[in-house]
Amino acid sequence: MMHGVLKLHLPARVPSDGARQLARYVMRAHGGDLAAAARAITARSFTRALGAEPVEAVTLQRMIDGEIVPGLRVGTAMHLLFGVAARAFQRPAAGWWLAADADQRAAA
């Protein structure tokens, strides 16, 4: 398990809308600290009580990079924490990194 601060790195291309929403969550809720975001997602994970492995900061970075998509346990925790749906990791990005969602822009 990694300790300390692992800062978010944003690739030049936004790989998916799920990656974009995850990056926004890491920046807004944890100031770009992937380790803190990983701890929050692990704490919210419904299988944590069953002794499942914690979510690693490196895993979140790989999701943001578009290398992997979340499985059921992590996907459910992310949905409960900040509302991203698993299918968002299969959709093209709805905007640039950290851009407001379309419904938030319409409300402004």
Side-chain angles (χ1 to χ4, degrees):
M1 179 177 198
M2 296 183 71
H3 296 285
V5 174
L6 179 62
K7 285 294 186 180
L8 172 67
H9 170 263
L10 298 177
R13 183 184 66 83
V14 184
S16 69
D17 203 49
R20 183 185 67 80
Q21 290 180 53
L22 175 56
R24 284 187 65 215
Y25 167 74
V26 172
M27 285 303 297
R28 286 182 168 200
H30 303 286
D33 184 348
L34 284 165
R39 287 190 298 272
I41 291 170
T42 295
R44 190 63 180 198
S45 174
F46 68 89
T47 57
R48 182 68 179 134
L50 302 176
E53 291 295 316
V55 177
E56 297 284 343
V58 174
T59 302
L60 295 184
Q61 183 62 58
R62 290 183 66 203
M63 287 179 200
I64 290 167
D65 291 343
E67 293 177 22
I68 60 175
V69 297
L72 178 64
R73 177 177 65 93
V74 174
T76 300
M78 289 193 304
H79 181 71
L80 292 171
L81 276 171
F82 57 97
V84 67
R87 66 184 172 274
F89 285 87
Q90 305 298 327
R91 282 194 314 248
W96 192 241
W97 292 115
L98 311 180
D101 291 330
D103 56 335
Q104 291 175 337
R105 285 190 301 264

